[in-house]
Amino acid sequence: MAFTVGILGGGQLARMLALAGAPLGLRFLVMDSVADACAGQVAPLLQADYRDQAALEEFAARVDVATFDFENVPAASAEWLAARVPVYPNPRALAVSQDRLEEKNLFRKLGLATPDFAVVDSLQDLERAVADIGLPAILKTRRLGYDGKGQFRLREAGDVEAAWAELGGVALILERFVAFERELSVLGVRSSTGQFASYPLVENWHASGILSASLAPAAVSAGLAEAALEAARTLAAALDYVGVFALELFLVEGRLMANEMAPRVHNSGHWTIEGADTSQFENHLRAVLGAPLGSTAPRGKSAMLNWVGHLPARDVALGEPAAHWHDYGKSPRAGRKVGHLTLCADSETLLAEALLRTGAALDRADQVASVIAVLGTTH
Ligand code: AMP
C-alpha cells in the first residue's frame, strides 16, 4: 500500500514537498481552507478549515503521517491529530514556535542570545517596557505574525500611543531593535531516529519585511557557521524535533542572536533544491519517515531571488544558463510570494556574474545588488 503523507497547509511549501516526495514513492494529501491552494495542483486537496472535526477525521483516516506547511494550525487540531497518527514536528514544538514569548524564553534557557524583550499586555506595560529596554524597539504580536506583519517600530517616546492603538488588545512583546550587520538563517533537520544534520549558514535580505534574496553558503567565518550549527542542534534536541526547521539569526557586533524559529521547511532553504546534495524538502520527508538523511553539502554557491507580487518574464530568466525557475502556480497579488529563482555557480565570481546578468535581464538590479556586494568578501 502506498504511504501517504498528510500536509496541513497547501501553499508553495506543501507543493515543493509533494514534488520532492514523488521520487521517494510517496503519496500526499494536502489540507487547506482555500479551494485554489497551489499545492492542490500537484497533490489531492482536502478543502476545509483546520478546526473542522469531520475534515480532521477524514484527513487522519487517509494519511499515514502528518506534517505542516504552515505553523499557525490551531494547537488543539495538531494535538487531536497526534493522538491518531504520528505528527511531525510534535505539537509542543509547534506550540513553542507559535508564541514569540515561549520561543524567546526557550532560546534564553538554551543559552542562545536574543535581543532584550519584555511582555506587553497593557499600555502601562508598554510604557514600562520602553523605559526598561530603550528605543528604538519593535512591538510584535506574540502570535500569528509573519513576513513583518503584526509589528510596529517605535523610534521615539511619542510613538508609544500609536503603537498601542495599532496592536493593543492582543498579547504582545516589545523587543529592542538591534542594529544587525547581517541577517542569517540556519536550517536544521532531525530525523525521528534522532539523526541530525544542518545546511550551511545562509545570508538573507528582506524588502518590506518579506524575504527578497538569500545567499548560500553565507560569507561568514567558520567559527560563526559552527556556532549556528550548534544552536540548531541544541534547539532540535530540546524540542525532540522531527523534520526541517529554520532558526533565524541576527549578526550583531560579530555575535549571533536568535530572532525566531520556523517549525517547517523555510523560504531561506529553497536554494537547496538545486544547490545542495539533498533538498530541504526531501530531507524533511526523510526525517518524517525515519529514513537516513541525505547529505546537506552545498554544490558550489547559490543565490535565491524571491518573486513577490508577480513573476518576471519566465523565458527571459530561462535564457540565463545558471537559472532554475520556480512558478508556484499562484495568481499575482501584492506582497504574495508567487515564485523564486535560484542561480547556482562553481565560484563566487561566477555567481556574481550570473546575478548581474539576471538583474539586468529581468530589471531586478536592486534585488541582486546587496547579494553581489557581499560576494568575494570574507568576514
Ligand atoms: P520577524 O517577523 O520577527 O522575523 O521580523 C521581520 C523582520 O523585521 C526581520 O527579518 C528583521 O529584518 C526585522 N526585525 C525583527 N526583529 C528585529 C529586532 N529585534 N531588531 C532589528 N530588526 C528586527
Side-chain angles (χ1 to χ4, degrees), residues 100 103-104 115-116 136-138 140 145-149 151 153 175-180 183 204 206 208-211 248 250 257 259-260:
R100 291 186 189 274
E103 191 174 74
K104 286 206 162 51
D116 288 339
I138 308 191
K140 298 182 179 178
Y146 67 99
D147 287 346
K149 292 191 176 67
Q151 302 192 4
R153 295 194 184 188
E175 276 178 44
R176 172 85 193 163
F177 188 88
V178 291
F180 55 78
E183 286 196 78
N204 301 309
H206 293 82
S208 308
I210 303 176
L211 186 67
E248 297 181 20
F250 297 134
M257 281 191 163
N259 174 31
E260 63 176 351

PDB file of all heavy atoms in Angstrom, residues 100 103-104 115-116 136-138 140 145-149 151 153 175-180 183 204 206 208-211 248 250 257 259-260, ligand 1:
ATOM      1  N   ARG A 100       5.924  33.998  20.283  1.00  0.00           N
ATOM      2  CA  ARG A 100       7.257  34.613  20.344  1.00  0.00           C
ATOM      3  C   ARG A 100       7.830  34.631  21.754  1.00  0.00           C
ATOM      4  O   ARG A 100       9.047  34.595  21.927  1.00  0.00           O
ATOM      5  CB  ARG A 100       7.198  36.050  19.832  1.00  0.00           C
ATOM      6  CG  ARG A 100       6.942  36.171  18.349  1.00  0.00           C
ATOM      7  CD  ARG A 100       7.049  37.626  17.924  1.00  0.00           C
ATOM      8  NE  ARG A 100       6.610  37.828  16.567  1.00  0.00           N
ATOM      9  CZ  ARG A 100       7.379  37.675  15.493  1.00  0.00           C
ATOM     10  NH1 ARG A 100       8.641  37.322  15.624  1.00  0.00           N
ATOM     11  NH2 ARG A 100       6.895  37.886  14.285  1.00  0.00           N
ATOM     12  N   GLU A 103       9.036  31.090  22.643  1.00  0.00           N
ATOM     13  CA  GLU A 103      10.192  30.826  21.793  1.00  0.00           C
ATOM     14  C   GLU A 103      11.447  31.511  22.362  1.00  0.00           C
ATOM     15  O   GLU A 103      12.503  30.901  22.520  1.00  0.00           O
ATOM     16  CB  GLU A 103       9.836  31.391  20.431  1.00  0.00           C
ATOM     17  CG  GLU A 103      10.707  31.069  19.290  1.00  0.00           C
ATOM     18  CD  GLU A 103      10.061  31.622  18.014  1.00  0.00           C
ATOM     19  OE1 GLU A 103      10.075  32.858  17.791  1.00  0.00           O
ATOM     20  OE2 GLU A 103       9.531  30.818  17.247  1.00  0.00           O
ATOM     21  N   LYS A 104      11.283  32.788  22.717  1.00  0.00           N
ATOM     22  CA  LYS A 104      12.440  33.538  23.226  1.00  0.00           C
ATOM     23  C   LYS A 104      12.856  33.019  24.604  1.00  0.00           C
ATOM     24  O   LYS A 104      14.048  32.935  24.899  1.00  0.00           O
ATOM     25  CB  LYS A 104      12.113  35.033  23.299  1.00  0.00           C
ATOM     26  CG  LYS A 104      12.104  35.659  21.917  1.00  0.00           C
ATOM     27  CD  LYS A 104      12.423  37.130  21.974  1.00  0.00           C
ATOM     28  CE  LYS A 104      12.848  37.673  20.625  1.00  0.00           C
ATOM     29  NZ  LYS A 104      11.955  37.358  19.498  1.00  0.00           N
ATOM     30  N   PRO A 115      17.657  39.492  21.308  1.00  0.00           N
ATOM     31  CA  PRO A 115      17.506  40.900  21.660  1.00  0.00           C
ATOM     32  C   PRO A 115      16.726  40.993  22.978  1.00  0.00           C
ATOM     33  O   PRO A 115      15.893  40.125  23.266  1.00  0.00           O
ATOM     34  CB  PRO A 115      16.681  41.473  20.496  1.00  0.00           C
ATOM     35  CG  PRO A 115      16.887  40.515  19.353  1.00  0.00           C
ATOM     36  CD  PRO A 115      17.047  39.163  19.992  1.00  0.00           C
ATOM     37  N   ASP A 116      16.980  42.046  23.786  1.00  0.00           N
ATOM     38  CA  ASP A 116      16.211  42.228  25.030  1.00  0.00           C
ATOM     39  C   ASP A 116      14.730  42.300  24.700  1.00  0.00           C
ATOM     40  O   ASP A 116      14.356  42.870  23.670  1.00  0.00           O
ATOM     41  CB  ASP A 116      16.615  43.540  25.720  1.00  0.00           C
ATOM     42  CG  ASP A 116      17.996  43.440  26.321  1.00  0.00           C
ATOM     43  OD1 ASP A 116      18.458  42.292  26.550  1.00  0.00           O
ATOM     44  OD2 ASP A 116      18.621  44.493  26.537  1.00  0.00           O
ATOM     45  N   PRO A 136      15.540  52.645  19.779  1.00  0.00           N
ATOM     46  CA  PRO A 136      14.380  52.094  19.081  1.00  0.00           C
ATOM     47  C   PRO A 136      14.044  50.674  19.539  1.00  0.00           C
ATOM     48  O   PRO A 136      14.892  49.964  20.059  1.00  0.00           O
ATOM     49  CB  PRO A 136      14.804  52.117  17.610  1.00  0.00           C
ATOM     50  CG  PRO A 136      16.298  52.050  17.644  1.00  0.00           C
ATOM     51  CD  PRO A 136      16.724  52.768  18.889  1.00  0.00           C
ATOM     52  N   ALA A 137      12.779  50.327  19.319  1.00  0.00           N
ATOM     53  CA  ALA A 137      12.300  48.995  19.705  1.00  0.00           C
ATOM     54  C   ALA A 137      11.200  48.573  18.737  1.00  0.00           C
ATOM     55  O   ALA A 137      10.694  49.399  17.966  1.00  0.00           O
ATOM     56  CB  ALA A 137      11.760  49.040  21.127  1.00  0.00           C
ATOM     57  N   ILE A 138      10.867  47.290  18.778  1.00  0.00           N
ATOM     58  CA  ILE A 138       9.772  46.783  17.917  1.00  0.00           C
ATOM     59  C   ILE A 138       8.739  46.115  18.804  1.00  0.00           C
ATOM     60  O   ILE A 138       9.079  45.253  19.620  1.00  0.00           O
ATOM     61  CB  ILE A 138      10.247  45.715  16.907  1.00  0.00           C
ATOM     62  CG1 ILE A 138      11.437  46.198  16.096  1.00  0.00           C
ATOM     63  CG2 ILE A 138       9.122  45.348  15.959  1.00  0.00           C
ATOM     64  CD1 ILE A 138      11.757  45.283  14.927  1.00  0.00           C
ATOM     65  N   LYS A 140       5.740  43.564  18.837  1.00  0.00           N
ATOM     66  CA  LYS A 140       5.291  42.468  17.961  1.00  0.00           C
ATOM     67  C   LYS A 140       4.156  41.711  18.627  1.00  0.00           C
ATOM     68  O   LYS A 140       4.172  41.509  19.850  1.00  0.00           O
ATOM     69  CB  LYS A 140       6.426  41.452  17.730  1.00  0.00           C
ATOM     70  CG  LYS A 140       7.654  42.002  17.042  1.00  0.00           C
ATOM     71  CD  LYS A 140       8.679  40.876  16.826  1.00  0.00           C
ATOM     72  CE  LYS A 140       9.914  41.386  16.110  1.00  0.00           C
ATOM     73  NZ  LYS A 140      10.937  40.330  15.926  1.00  0.00           N
ATOM     74  N   GLY A 145       2.135  36.332  13.684  1.00  0.00           N
ATOM     75  CA  GLY A 145       2.887  37.305  12.893  1.00  0.00           C
ATOM     76  C   GLY A 145       3.713  36.575  11.842  1.00  0.00           C
ATOM     77  O   GLY A 145       4.212  35.501  12.100  1.00  0.00           O
ATOM     78  N   TYR A 146       3.816  37.105  10.658  1.00  0.00           N
ATOM     79  CA  TYR A 146       4.733  36.559   9.659  1.00  0.00           C
ATOM     80  C   TYR A 146       5.039  37.647   8.644  1.00  0.00           C
ATOM     81  O   TYR A 146       4.286  38.605   8.493  1.00  0.00           O
ATOM     82  CB  TYR A 146       4.160  35.310   8.967  1.00  0.00           C
ATOM     83  CG  TYR A 146       2.957  35.612   8.094  1.00  0.00           C
ATOM     84  CD1 TYR A 146       3.086  35.758   6.722  1.00  0.00           C
ATOM     85  CD2 TYR A 146       1.704  35.785   8.663  1.00  0.00           C
ATOM     86  CE1 TYR A 146       1.989  36.064   5.931  1.00  0.00           C
ATOM     87  CE2 TYR A 146       0.607  36.083   7.885  1.00  0.00           C
ATOM     88  CZ  TYR A 146       0.757  36.223   6.518  1.00  0.00           C
ATOM     89  OH  TYR A 146      -0.308  36.535   5.740  1.00  0.00           O
ATOM     90  N   ASP A 147       6.192  37.498   7.969  1.00  0.00           N
ATOM     91  CA  ASP A 147       6.600  38.459   6.943  1.00  0.00           C
ATOM     92  C   ASP A 147       6.451  39.909   7.421  1.00  0.00           C
ATOM     93  O   ASP A 147       5.980  40.775   6.683  1.00  0.00           O
ATOM     94  CB  ASP A 147       5.795  38.256   5.645  1.00  0.00           C
ATOM     95  CG  ASP A 147       6.240  36.998   4.894  1.00  0.00           C
ATOM     96  OD1 ASP A 147       7.305  36.459   5.229  1.00  0.00           O
ATOM     97  OD2 ASP A 147       5.512  36.583   3.979  1.00  0.00           O
ATOM     98  N   GLY A 148       6.827  40.155   8.669  1.00  0.00           N
ATOM     99  CA  GLY A 148       6.810  41.532   9.179  1.00  0.00           C
ATOM    100  C   GLY A 148       5.421  42.039   9.539  1.00  0.00           C
ATOM    101  O   GLY A 148       5.262  43.195   9.922  1.00  0.00           O
ATOM    102  N   LYS A 149       4.391  41.156   9.446  1.00  0.00           N
ATOM    103  CA  LYS A 149       3.031  41.604   9.814  1.00  0.00           C
ATOM    104  C   LYS A 149       2.893  41.534  11.337  1.00  0.00           C
ATOM    105  O   LYS A 149       3.551  40.755  11.995  1.00  0.00           O
ATOM    106  CB  LYS A 149       1.984  40.715   9.145  1.00  0.00           C
ATOM    107  CG  LYS A 149       1.953  40.893   7.640  1.00  0.00           C
ATOM    108  CD  LYS A 149       0.746  40.221   7.030  1.00  0.00           C
ATOM    109  CE  LYS A 149       0.645  40.461   5.547  1.00  0.00           C
ATOM    110  NZ  LYS A 149       1.719  39.818   4.755  1.00  0.00           N
ATOM    111  N   GLN A 151       3.650  43.992  13.442  1.00  0.00           N
ATOM    112  CA  GLN A 151       4.818  44.636  14.064  1.00  0.00           C
ATOM    113  C   GLN A 151       4.708  46.149  13.940  1.00  0.00           C
ATOM    114  O   GLN A 151       4.169  46.656  12.959  1.00  0.00           O
ATOM    115  CB  GLN A 151       6.108  44.206  13.358  1.00  0.00           C
ATOM    116  CG  GLN A 151       6.301  42.711  13.384  1.00  0.00           C
ATOM    117  CD  GLN A 151       7.685  42.287  12.955  1.00  0.00           C
ATOM    118  OE1 GLN A 151       8.547  43.113  12.695  1.00  0.00           O
ATOM    119  NE2 GLN A 151       7.891  40.993  12.914  1.00  0.00           N
ATOM    120  N   ARG A 153       7.283  49.563  14.672  1.00  0.00           N
ATOM    121  CA  ARG A 153       8.606  50.057  15.106  1.00  0.00           C
ATOM    122  C   ARG A 153       8.454  51.365  15.864  1.00  0.00           C
ATOM    123  O   ARG A 153       7.840  52.308  15.362  1.00  0.00           O
ATOM    124  CB  ARG A 153       9.509  50.275  13.902  1.00  0.00           C
ATOM    125  CG  ARG A 153       9.797  48.961  13.235  1.00  0.00           C
ATOM    126  CD  ARG A 153      10.931  49.035  12.255  1.00  0.00           C
ATOM    127  NE  ARG A 153      11.018  47.726  11.620  1.00  0.00           N
ATOM    128  CZ  ARG A 153      11.968  47.339  10.811  1.00  0.00           C
ATOM    129  NH1 ARG A 153      12.941  48.170  10.508  1.00  0.00           N
ATOM    130  NH2 ARG A 153      11.955  46.131  10.293  1.00  0.00           N
ATOM    131  N   GLU A 175      10.542  44.283  21.723  1.00  0.00           N
ATOM    132  CA  GLU A 175      11.928  43.853  21.557  1.00  0.00           C
ATOM    133  C   GLU A 175      12.818  45.044  21.277  1.00  0.00           C
ATOM    134  O   GLU A 175      12.431  45.946  20.522  1.00  0.00           O
ATOM    135  CB  GLU A 175      12.049  42.955  20.316  1.00  0.00           C
ATOM    136  CG  GLU A 175      11.718  41.526  20.521  1.00  0.00           C
ATOM    137  CD  GLU A 175      11.834  40.776  19.207  1.00  0.00           C
ATOM    138  OE1 GLU A 175      12.808  40.979  18.443  1.00  0.00           O
ATOM    139  OE2 GLU A 175      10.912  40.005  18.929  1.00  0.00           O
ATOM    140  N   ARG A 176      13.986  45.017  21.827  1.00  0.00           N
ATOM    141  CA  ARG A 176      14.989  46.021  21.496  1.00  0.00           C
ATOM    142  C   ARG A 176      15.310  45.894  20.004  1.00  0.00           C
ATOM    143  O   ARG A 176      15.446  44.782  19.492  1.00  0.00           O
ATOM    144  CB  ARG A 176      16.248  45.743  22.328  1.00  0.00           C
ATOM    145  CG  ARG A 176      17.436  46.573  21.968  1.00  0.00           C
ATOM    146  CD  ARG A 176      17.417  47.915  22.671  1.00  0.00           C
ATOM    147  NE  ARG A 176      18.409  48.793  22.066  1.00  0.00           N
ATOM    148  CZ  ARG A 176      18.432  50.101  22.205  1.00  0.00           C
ATOM    149  NH1 ARG A 176      17.531  50.719  22.939  1.00  0.00           N
ATOM    150  NH2 ARG A 176      19.354  50.805  21.631  1.00  0.00           N
ATOM    151  N   PHE A 177      15.383  47.010  19.295  1.00  0.00           N
ATOM    152  CA  PHE A 177      15.760  46.982  17.882  1.00  0.00           C
ATOM    153  C   PHE A 177      17.272  46.870  17.806  1.00  0.00           C
ATOM    154  O   PHE A 177      17.987  47.761  18.262  1.00  0.00           O
ATOM    155  CB  PHE A 177      15.287  48.261  17.185  1.00  0.00           C
ATOM    156  CG  PHE A 177      15.463  48.210  15.702  1.00  0.00           C
ATOM    157  CD1 PHE A 177      14.469  47.684  14.896  1.00  0.00           C
ATOM    158  CD2 PHE A 177      16.624  48.683  15.103  1.00  0.00           C
ATOM    159  CE1 PHE A 177      14.633  47.612  13.526  1.00  0.00           C
ATOM    160  CE2 PHE A 177      16.788  48.622  13.730  1.00  0.00           C
ATOM    161  CZ  PHE A 177      15.796  48.084  12.945  1.00  0.00           C
ATOM    162  N   VAL A 178      17.761  45.767  17.298  1.00  0.00           N
ATOM    163  CA  VAL A 178      19.210  45.588  17.236  1.00  0.00           C
ATOM    164  C   VAL A 178      19.722  46.054  15.868  1.00  0.00           C
ATOM    165  O   VAL A 178      19.115  45.763  14.844  1.00  0.00           O
ATOM    166  CB  VAL A 178      19.641  44.126  17.524  1.00  0.00           C
ATOM    167  CG1 VAL A 178      19.378  43.777  18.977  1.00  0.00           C
ATOM    168  CG2 VAL A 178      18.953  43.145  16.612  1.00  0.00           C
ATOM    169  N   ALA A 179      20.837  46.777  15.893  1.00  0.00           N
ATOM    170  CA  ALA A 179      21.424  47.260  14.634  1.00  0.00           C
ATOM    171  C   ALA A 179      22.284  46.122  14.081  1.00  0.00           C
ATOM    172  O   ALA A 179      23.496  46.100  14.244  1.00  0.00           O
ATOM    173  CB  ALA A 179      22.248  48.508  14.899  1.00  0.00           C
ATOM    174  N   PHE A 180      21.617  45.149  13.455  1.00  0.00           N
ATOM    175  CA  PHE A 180      22.368  43.968  12.993  1.00  0.00           C
ATOM    176  C   PHE A 180      23.206  44.297  11.764  1.00  0.00           C
ATOM    177  O   PHE A 180      22.844  45.168  10.965  1.00  0.00           O
ATOM    178  CB  PHE A 180      21.434  42.788  12.735  1.00  0.00           C
ATOM    179  CG  PHE A 180      20.313  43.075  11.779  1.00  0.00           C
ATOM    180  CD1 PHE A 180      20.519  43.118  10.419  1.00  0.00           C
ATOM    181  CD2 PHE A 180      19.017  43.292  12.256  1.00  0.00           C
ATOM    182  CE1 PHE A 180      19.479  43.369   9.546  1.00  0.00           C
ATOM    183  CE2 PHE A 180      17.965  43.546  11.391  1.00  0.00           C
ATOM    184  CZ  PHE A 180      18.199  43.595  10.023  1.00  0.00           C
ATOM    185  N   GLU A 183      21.540  39.485   8.405  1.00  0.00           N
ATOM    186  CA  GLU A 183      20.503  38.532   8.801  1.00  0.00           C
ATOM    187  C   GLU A 183      20.884  37.182   8.223  1.00  0.00           C
ATOM    188  O   GLU A 183      21.166  37.071   7.025  1.00  0.00           O
ATOM    189  CB  GLU A 183      19.137  38.956   8.270  1.00  0.00           C
ATOM    190  CG  GLU A 183      18.573  40.128   9.041  1.00  0.00           C
ATOM    191  CD  GLU A 183      17.083  40.306   8.792  1.00  0.00           C
ATOM    192  OE1 GLU A 183      16.268  39.561   9.368  1.00  0.00           O
ATOM    193  OE2 GLU A 183      16.735  41.198   8.010  1.00  0.00           O
ATOM    194  N   ASN A 204      20.429  36.393   4.423  1.00  0.00           N
ATOM    195  CA  ASN A 204      19.120  36.786   3.870  1.00  0.00           C
ATOM    196  C   ASN A 204      18.960  38.293   3.820  1.00  0.00           C
ATOM    197  O   ASN A 204      19.460  38.992   4.698  1.00  0.00           O
ATOM    198  CB  ASN A 204      17.999  36.212   4.744  1.00  0.00           C
ATOM    199  CG  ASN A 204      18.054  34.695   4.824  1.00  0.00           C
ATOM    200  OD1 ASN A 204      18.123  34.022   3.802  1.00  0.00           O
ATOM    201  ND2 ASN A 204      18.063  34.166   6.033  1.00  0.00           N
ATOM    202  N   HIS A 206      15.814  41.240   3.274  1.00  0.00           N
ATOM    203  CA  HIS A 206      14.362  41.432   3.245  1.00  0.00           C
ATOM    204  C   HIS A 206      14.014  42.761   2.582  1.00  0.00           C
ATOM    205  O   HIS A 206      14.793  43.704   2.636  1.00  0.00           O
ATOM    206  CB  HIS A 206      13.794  41.429   4.668  1.00  0.00           C
ATOM    207  CG  HIS A 206      13.921  40.092   5.332  1.00  0.00           C
ATOM    208  ND1 HIS A 206      15.082  39.677   5.939  1.00  0.00           N
ATOM    209  CD2 HIS A 206      13.034  39.074   5.468  1.00  0.00           C
ATOM    210  CE1 HIS A 206      14.905  38.452   6.421  1.00  0.00           C
ATOM    211  NE2 HIS A 206      13.671  38.064   6.151  1.00  0.00           N
ATOM    212  N   SER A 208      10.494  45.244   2.644  1.00  0.00           N
ATOM    213  CA  SER A 208       9.176  45.407   3.260  1.00  0.00           C
ATOM    214  C   SER A 208       8.812  44.211   4.137  1.00  0.00           C
ATOM    215  O   SER A 208       7.676  43.720   4.098  1.00  0.00           O
ATOM    216  CB  SER A 208       8.084  45.596   2.189  1.00  0.00           C
ATOM    217  OG  SER A 208       8.439  46.615   1.316  1.00  0.00           O
ATOM    218  N   GLY A 209       9.788  43.687   4.896  1.00  0.00           N
ATOM    219  CA  GLY A 209       9.528  42.592   5.833  1.00  0.00           C
ATOM    220  C   GLY A 209       9.432  41.223   5.181  1.00  0.00           C
ATOM    221  O   GLY A 209       9.223  40.231   5.867  1.00  0.00           O
ATOM    222  N   ILE A 210       9.588  41.130   3.858  1.00  0.00           N
ATOM    223  CA  ILE A 210       9.457  39.847   3.157  1.00  0.00           C
ATOM    224  C   ILE A 210      10.824  39.464   2.589  1.00  0.00           C
ATOM    225  O   ILE A 210      11.538  40.319   2.052  1.00  0.00           O
ATOM    226  CB  ILE A 210       8.429  39.951   2.006  1.00  0.00           C
ATOM    227  CG1 ILE A 210       7.070  40.415   2.559  1.00  0.00           C
ATOM    228  CG2 ILE A 210       8.289  38.629   1.273  1.00  0.00           C
ATOM    229  CD1 ILE A 210       6.013  40.628   1.487  1.00  0.00           C
ATOM    230  N   LEU A 211      11.171  38.177   2.709  1.00  0.00           N
ATOM    231  CA  LEU A 211      12.456  37.724   2.184  1.00  0.00           C
ATOM    232  C   LEU A 211      12.558  38.083   0.702  1.00  0.00           C
ATOM    233  O   LEU A 211      11.650  37.811  -0.077  1.00  0.00           O
ATOM    234  CB  LEU A 211      12.601  36.208   2.376  1.00  0.00           C
ATOM    235  CG  LEU A 211      13.963  35.632   1.984  1.00  0.00           C
ATOM    236  CD1 LEU A 211      15.059  36.124   2.928  1.00  0.00           C
ATOM    237  CD2 LEU A 211      13.932  34.111   1.983  1.00  0.00           C
ATOM    238  N   GLU A 248      16.243  31.689  12.618  1.00  0.00           N
ATOM    239  CA  GLU A 248      16.630  32.984  12.042  1.00  0.00           C
ATOM    240  C   GLU A 248      17.489  33.725  13.041  1.00  0.00           C
ATOM    241  O   GLU A 248      17.152  33.819  14.223  1.00  0.00           O
ATOM    242  CB  GLU A 248      15.382  33.798  11.703  1.00  0.00           C
ATOM    243  CG  GLU A 248      14.525  33.131  10.647  1.00  0.00           C
ATOM    244  CD  GLU A 248      13.288  33.962  10.288  1.00  0.00           C
ATOM    245  OE1 GLU A 248      13.275  35.176  10.559  1.00  0.00           O
ATOM    246  OE2 GLU A 248      12.350  33.372   9.743  1.00  0.00           O
ATOM    247  N   PHE A 250      20.364  37.079  13.904  1.00  0.00           N
ATOM    248  CA  PHE A 250      20.972  38.368  13.570  1.00  0.00           C
ATOM    249  C   PHE A 250      22.452  38.275  13.913  1.00  0.00           C
ATOM    250  O   PHE A 250      22.810  37.676  14.937  1.00  0.00           O
ATOM    251  CB  PHE A 250      20.374  39.503  14.423  1.00  0.00           C
ATOM    252  CG  PHE A 250      18.899  39.741  14.214  1.00  0.00           C
ATOM    253  CD1 PHE A 250      18.051  39.906  15.312  1.00  0.00           C
ATOM    254  CD2 PHE A 250      18.358  39.837  12.940  1.00  0.00           C
ATOM    255  CE1 PHE A 250      16.696  40.145  15.142  1.00  0.00           C
ATOM    256  CE2 PHE A 250      16.991  40.073  12.763  1.00  0.00           C
ATOM    257  CZ  PHE A 250      16.162  40.224  13.860  1.00  0.00           C
ATOM    258  N   MET A 257      22.581  36.359  17.402  1.00  0.00           N
ATOM    259  CA  MET A 257      21.420  36.458  18.287  1.00  0.00           C
ATOM    260  C   MET A 257      20.267  35.753  17.600  1.00  0.00           C
ATOM    261  O   MET A 257      20.076  35.900  16.393  1.00  0.00           O
ATOM    262  CB  MET A 257      21.013  37.920  18.470  1.00  0.00           C
ATOM    263  CG  MET A 257      21.857  38.658  19.448  1.00  0.00           C
ATOM    264  SD  MET A 257      21.051  40.236  19.785  1.00  0.00           S
ATOM    265  CE  MET A 257      21.902  40.647  21.279  1.00  0.00           C
ATOM    266  N   ASN A 259      16.534  35.270  16.490  1.00  0.00           N
ATOM    267  CA  ASN A 259      15.312  36.070  16.297  1.00  0.00           C
ATOM    268  C   ASN A 259      14.091  35.175  16.461  1.00  0.00           C
ATOM    269  O   ASN A 259      13.307  35.338  17.379  1.00  0.00           O
ATOM    270  CB  ASN A 259      15.338  36.751  14.929  1.00  0.00           C
ATOM    271  CG  ASN A 259      14.035  37.485  14.615  1.00  0.00           C
ATOM    272  OD1 ASN A 259      13.376  37.985  15.524  1.00  0.00           O
ATOM    273  ND2 ASN A 259      13.636  37.519  13.357  1.00  0.00           N
ATOM    274  N   GLU A 260      13.942  34.214  15.564  1.00  0.00           N
ATOM    275  CA  GLU A 260      12.797  33.309  15.704  1.00  0.00           C
ATOM    276  C   GLU A 260      13.075  31.999  15.000  1.00  0.00           C
ATOM    277  O   GLU A 260      14.028  31.891  14.228  1.00  0.00           O
ATOM    278  CB  GLU A 260      11.517  33.953  15.162  1.00  0.00           C
ATOM    279  CG  GLU A 260      11.552  34.262  13.699  1.00  0.00           C
ATOM    280  CD  GLU A 260      10.218  34.815  13.201  1.00  0.00           C
ATOM    281  OE1 GLU A 260       9.235  34.790  13.958  1.00  0.00           O
ATOM    282  OE2 GLU A 260      10.171  35.255  12.041  1.00  0.00           O
TER     283      GLU A 260
HETATM  284  P1  AMP B   1      10.285  38.698  12.330  1.00  0.00           P
HETATM  285  O1  AMP B   1       8.862  38.551  11.914  1.00  0.00           O
HETATM  286  O2  AMP B   1      10.484  38.647  13.807  1.00  0.00           O
HETATM  287  O3  AMP B   1      11.218  37.763  11.601  1.00  0.00           O
HETATM  288  O4  AMP B   1      10.718  40.183  11.860  1.00  0.00           O
HETATM  289  C1  AMP B   1      10.708  40.568  10.489  1.00  0.00           C
HETATM  290  C2  AMP B   1      11.944  41.395  10.179  1.00  0.00           C
HETATM  291  O5  AMP B   1      11.986  42.577  10.996  1.00  0.00           O
HETATM  292  C3  AMP B   1      13.263  40.673  10.482  1.00  0.00           C
HETATM  293  O6  AMP B   1      13.641  39.855   9.415  1.00  0.00           O
HETATM  294  C4  AMP B   1      14.195  41.850  10.696  1.00  0.00           C
HETATM  295  O7  AMP B   1      14.589  42.402   9.451  1.00  0.00           O
HETATM  296  C5  AMP B   1      13.328  42.864  11.404  1.00  0.00           C
HETATM  297  N1  AMP B   1      13.438  42.702  12.860  1.00  0.00           N
HETATM  298  C6  AMP B   1      12.664  41.912  13.638  1.00  0.00           C
HETATM  299  N2  AMP B   1      13.038  41.985  14.939  1.00  0.00           N
HETATM  300  C7  AMP B   1      14.081  42.844  14.996  1.00  0.00           C
HETATM  301  C8  AMP B   1      14.895  43.350  16.060  1.00  0.00           C
HETATM  302  N3  AMP B   1      14.713  42.991  17.338  1.00  0.00           N
HETATM  303  N4  AMP B   1      15.883  44.224  15.736  1.00  0.00           N
HETATM  304  C9  AMP B   1      16.071  44.587  14.438  1.00  0.00           C
HETATM  305  N5  AMP B   1      15.326  44.169  13.399  1.00  0.00           N
HETATM  306  C10 AMP B   1      14.339  43.309  13.662  1.00  0.00           C
END
